[in-house]
Amino acid sequence: MRMTEVIEIGKKKKVEDILIETKKDRRLLPNVPDAKKIRSGKERRGSSVEEEDSISKTRYIVQYPVTITCYKQGVRKQKIDGVAVDVSTSGILVQLKREEDIKTLEESEYVVVHFQVSPGSMPEGYEMKMRVKADFVRKVEQEETTMIALKFRKDLKQKAKEKRGNYALVASCILLAFITLFIMLMRAESVLYFKFNKWLYLYSIVTAAFLLTRYLFGSFYRPVKVDPDYTPSVSIIIPCFNEEEWIQQTILSCMNQSYPMNKLEVIVVDDCSNDKSVEKIKEIAEQLFKEGEEYDISNRLRYIVQEQNGGKREALAKGVLEAKHELVVFVDSDSFLNPDAIRNLVQPFKDPKMGGVAGRTDVANTYTNVLTKMQSVRYYIAFRIMKAAEGYFDAVTCLSGPLACYRKEYVKDNIEAWLSQSFLGQKATFGDDRAMTNFILQKYRTGYQDTAVCSTIVPNKYKVFLKQQMRWKRSWLRESLMAGKFMWKKEPFAAVSFYMGLLVPVLAPIIVVYNIVIAPLRFGIFPTTFLVGMLMMAMMMSVVQLLLRKSTTWLFGLAFCLFYEGVLLWQMPIAWVTFWKSTWGTRMTPSDILVYEKRESRKRIGER
């Protein structure tokens, strides 16, 4: 059976993702440094290409009702209604209902703009009512429509920080202190009752210690500051398989980096896709070639099409062998880099002992549904707290696939072992990021750079999500067992934390069964303490999300934890006995096709 036939069988109704819509620049590569110094780099609203914060340079397409109050000599003159067309952190474009209001705006000393940022129209943390002073900049004529551009006197980022930051900080700090104290008191109770069931209460103490120390060390973490003069040469490698929907956006985000052109190349390796991925790659390449000789596209962008599907590792390895620069960056084909991602990502390599660095991955389709909102909170805590805690000791155990950077020579030293990796006689086809991290971490340091940000598309259907999580659990279990052979040699706190982190999730299903089923039936005790403790752990995730990100999605952290305990936790026992499997489950790789064909063959035999 051909791969295309298998894919057609599994097609179902598609859930459309809700993404933040940004205004496209007339150029495809507006953030690339201008080698000929023709462009000024200044935007009309005041920001520049050189700014570190890429959010401040982005205009978001919106549809907000806006009220503009005009002031002259400190006296309110008139209120004007309109609709916001696009907004950035530095200004707003408004379509007026009456053209005669422009004269009033031109004569005003300043204006006060009232509007509400709706969830999903700007990055998380901005969704709130805004009241900000602004100045009239100019009139804009577009398709028989009159609009006006206003420049904010105070950046929206600062405004949001002031407005939500104070109460979010106070509320979250009080809640966090209460939750931490409550958990510590509960664990103190575990010490008192230790003699009655030492293994159960030992697990309880270890779990609390593991989570609390992760949050503690995560709070100590600080990213490496940008040195403008440190720009090592970088090759970005994008492995692609059946990613026709997102591959063009991924390529553009990798090319559109505020990084020296002569030190950055992008290599796309298509692993014999059977959809329109190759056509999409060629199409965007042709568009980029037309941008002009000053971008040197012919020397900075290459694509390779594999004749046979060899898997993600084979595609990445092909890119590494073709790369001409000293650092290689692995980027998933459905991940989109911020314009300053590479500049930030390379900074930890100033340390000669650093072998690999992970960037932060945010969720691009957060506001699609409840599932994506839960994943958004989970991703943020997983990177900003859990991975940051490992980064504090330069011992990150997974340089995640959406955005990870390595020294090329170290990857090439391990490439054969990586490609031929097997476990219990089965070839390893997934978990490529954890496997390569293990090879690097054995001899070198691995870090985390929170300011190197990309966003990725997460599953919006529960069936696909559960398959992804099963695959991740299998690779986590396999690679954690491998890492356990050498992690004891690392910094003591990092080593102890690693082994606690291995023990806690593996034993969790047993502990839950004992507390929820066995103890009530055997002793007639309702598991109040256990349930309250679980709730407090869940609340901690949500409160930290509120404290650090100040997003309205913070309550979905609690929802995720409950979903984890009720559903995802029970994938772990399955992973115990199937972690050698090589199928992906979410896409038709050669291993998945083989399993599918065997299943279909058995069905046909049974029908005879």
Side-chain angles (χ1 to χ4, degrees):
M1 183 180 288
R2 292 183 296 116
M3 195 181 297
T4 49
E5 294 174 350
V6 176
I7 291 169
E8 287 298 323
I9 290 171
K11 278 192 174 181
K12 292 185 179 180
K13 187 177 179 182
K14 184 179 179 182
V15 177
E16 290 296 329
D17 285 305
I18 297 175
L19 305 178
I20 294 176
E21 191 175 2
T22 59
K23 189 172 184 179
K24 293 182 179 179
D25 196 284
R26 63 182 182 277
R27 299 158 296 173
L28 289 176
L29 305 173
N31 293 287
V32 175
D34 185 6
K36 294 185 178 180
K37 307 297 182 184
I38 297 173
R39 304 191 307 271
S40 66
K42 293 287 183 181
E43 193 203 37
R44 278 185 283 234
R45 290 181 187 170
S47 61
S48 68
V49 174
E50 287 74 23
E51 291 183 41
E52 285 186 23
D53 185 5
S54 59
I55 291 177
S56 63
K57 298 173 287 189
T58 305
R59 299 187 188 187
Y60 303 93
I61 298 175
V62 298
Q63 280 290 310
Y64 303 147
V66 175
T67 300
I68 304 169
T69 307
C70 301
Y71 287 85
K72 190 172 182 180
Q73 295 179 345
V75 179
R76 186 172 71 182
K77 288 292 184 181
Q78 184 179 337
K79 280 190 175 182
I80 298 171
D81 293 323
V83 177
V85 176
D86 76 60
V87 64
S88 68
T89 59
S90 58
I92 191 168
L93 185 66
V94 181
Q95 180 179 334
L96 298 179
K97 293 185 176 180
R98 301 186 309 169
E99 191 169 347
E100 53 267 30
D101 289 331
I102 292 177
K103 186 175 181 181
T104 305
L105 287 162
E106 289 176 332
E107 294 174 350
S108 298
E109 183 181 341
Y110 67 89
V111 300
V112 176
V113 189
H114 302 258
F115 61 97
Q116 179 159 355
V117 179
S118 59
S121 60
M122 290 186 74
E124 289 185 61
Y126 287 91
E127 55 272 33
M128 65 183 72
K129 289 183 179 179
M130 293 289 185
R131 182 181 181 278
V132 57
K133 283 186 178 181
D135 295 306
F136 176 83
V137 177
R138 61 193 174 91
K139 180 173 73 171
V140 180
E141 298 285 352
Q142 279 187 9
E143 300 177 357
E144 301 180 356
T145 303
T146 302
M147 292 179 282
I148 52 105
L150 302 174
K151 182 180 178 182
F152 301 137
R153 290 191 173 184
K154 184 176 287 187
D155 190 279
L156 284 192
K157 185 176 182 179
Q158 184 181 355
K159 191 76 177 176
K161 187 176 180 180
E162 290 176 357
K163 186 169 184 179
R164 180 168 286 164
N166 292 334
Y167 79 77
L169 178 64
V170 173
S172 56
C173 282
I174 292 172
L175 282 171
L176 195 58
F178 171 76
I179 292 168
T180 304
L181 180 62
F182 193 88
I183 292 172
M184 291 176 69
L185 289 173
M186 290 182 69
R187 293 321 108 193
E189 179 190 54
S190 296
V191 174
L192 294 174
Y193 291 98
F194 189 79
K195 60 182 179 180
F196 296 108
N197 193 328
K198 61 181 179 181
W199 296 114
L200 176 65
Y201 288 113
L202 177 62
Y203 176 87
S204 180
I205 293 167
V206 168
T207 301
F210 169 71
L211 289 174
L212 291 176
T213 53
R214 280 293 174 107
Y215 282 97
L216 177 65
F217 291 130
S219 69
F220 291 160
Y221 163 84
R222 295 293 181 273
V224 178
K225 291 184 178 180
V226 172
D227 178 356
D229 298 322
Y230 182 69
T231 53
S233 57
V234 176
S235 296
I236 301 177
I237 300 166
I238 309 171
C240 176
F241 179 70
N242 289 357
E243 205 68 72
E244 62 181 7
E245 185 173 5
W246 305 113
I247 187 61
Q248 290 191 344
Q249 189 173 339
T250 300
I251 294 171
L252 276 178
S253 73
C254 291
M255 291 294 294
N256 187 31
Q257 290 293 307
S258 56
Y259 204 78
M261 283 191 294
N262 62 329
K263 293 185 177 183
L264 181 69
E265 68 168 348
V266 176
I267 303 171
V268 186
V269 184
D270 182 84
D271 194 28
C272 197
S273 295
N274 50 67
D275 64 354
K276 295 181 181 179
S277 293
V278 176
E279 295 176 35
K280 294 291 184 179
I281 293 168
K282 291 179 179 179
E283 182 183 341
I284 195 63
E286 287 299 320
Q287 292 179 30
L288 286 166
F289 288 142
K290 294 176 183 178
E291 280 291 280
E293 294 181 1
E294 65 268 23
Y295 290 105
D296 195 24
I297 300 298
S298 59
N299 290 318
R300 298 178 57 236
L301 174 62
R302 287 180 283 160
Y303 60 85
I304 302 165
V305 180
Q306 303 266 64
E307 293 184 1
Q308 291 184 332
N309 182 279
K312 187 177 179 181
R313 297 191 193 205
E314 292 284 351
L316 286 168
K318 180 69 173 178
V320 170
L321 296 176
E322 292 287 331
K324 60 185 179 183
H325 294 316
E326 60 183 296
L327 298 179
V328 289
V329 174
F330 294 169
V331 175
D332 282 349
S333 54
D334 59 353
S335 298
F336 322 121
L337 275 58
N338 281 8
D340 54 3
I342 297 300
R343 183 174 290 276
N344 280 279
L345 187 64
V346 301
Q347 297 306 311
F349 286 98
K350 293 177 74 174
D351 177 357
K353 294 181 180 179
M354 187 63 67
V357 175
R360 191 179 93 211
T361 302
D362 288 342
V363 172
N365 54 334
T366 296
Y367 293 96
T368 300
N369 53 30
V370 171
L371 177 60
T372 57
K373 290 175 184 177
M374 289 194 297
Q375 290 178 82
S376 179
V377 180
R378 171 59 180 154
Y379 266 66
Y380 186 76
I381 297 300
F383 281 85
R384 180 57 189 88
I385 297 298
M386 303 303 174
K387 211 172 288 290
E390 294 180 333
Y392 183 72
F393 297 105
D394 291 331
V396 176
T397 55
C398 180
L399 303 177
S400 303
L403 180 58
C405 185
Y406 304 87
R407 293 192 192 274
K408 184 177 71 174
E409 61 177 302
Y410 298 167
V411 174
K412 293 179 74 173
D413 288 344
N414 295 283
I415 206 164
E416 290 299 326
W418 186 52
L419 289 174
S420 61
Q421 184 189 17
S422 62
F423 194 79
L424 296 179
Q426 292 287 331
K427 182 176 174 61
T429 59
F430 51 76
D432 49 276
D433 48 6
R434 284 189 178 276
M436 179 54 72
T437 304
N438 275 347
F439 284 120
I440 301 299
L441 188 55
Q442 288 185 56
K443 297 180 180 179
Y444 309 102
R445 295 172 180 170
T446 54
Y448 169 66
Q449 186 72 339
D450 189 65
T451 51
V453 182
C454 77
S455 56
T456 193
I457 302 297
V458 298
N460 56 30
K461 291 182 178 180
Y462 286 93
K463 185 176 181 179
V464 177
F465 174 68
L466 291 173
K467 287 182 177 180
Q468 179 204 61
Q469 293 300 303
M470 178 57 73
R471 186 178 77 243
W472 285 5
K473 281 180 175 64
R474 286 171 178 155
S475 65
W476 171 83
L477 188 55
R478 182 190 70 212
E479 297 303 329
S480 294
L481 292 174
M482 301 295 288
K485 298 177 182 179
F486 63 82
M487 279 300 294
W488 60 272
K489 301 176 184 178
K490 297 295 179 179
E491 202 278 337
F493 275 111
V496 171
S497 182
F498 169 81
Y499 290 111
M500 285 196 299
L502 176 58
L503 182 70
V504 168
V506 168
L507 296 180
I510 299 172
I511 301 300
V512 172
V513 169
Y514 180 85
N515 280 280
I516 300 295
V517 180
I518 297 175
L521 291 177
R522 185 178 177 185
F523 304 109
I525 302 172
F526 187 78
T528 305
T529 303
F530 176 78
L531 293 174
V532 171
M534 191 170 65
L535 181 63
M536 290 298 103
M537 295 292 188
M539 280 298 297
M540 180 170 279
M541 174 186 280
S542 286
V543 170
V544 170
Q545 168 85 353
L546 175 63
L547 173 64
L548 297 180
R549 206 167 204 186
K550 304 171 181 66
S551 169
T552 54
T553 60
W554 68 279
L555 275 174
F556 289 93
L558 176 60
F560 176 84
C561 289
L562 298 177
F563 181 73
Y564 181 89
E565 294 292 338
V567 180
L568 299 180
L569 180 68
W570 307 106
Q571 289 184 321
M572 186 59 73
I574 301 173
W576 295 344
V577 294
T578 61
F579 62 93
W580 56 82
K581 282 193 173 183
S582 57
T583 53
W584 277 61
T586 55
R587 60 177 63 198
M588 299 310 293
T589 66
S591 296
D592 292 83
I593 293 171
L594 185 61
V595 170
Y596 181 87
E597 289 178 343
K598 286 181 178 178
R599 189 187 304 127
E600 290 298 304
S601 178
R602 285 196 297 268
K603 283 183 180 179
R604 286 193 294 269
I605 292 171
E607 290 171 357
R608 290 174 184 174

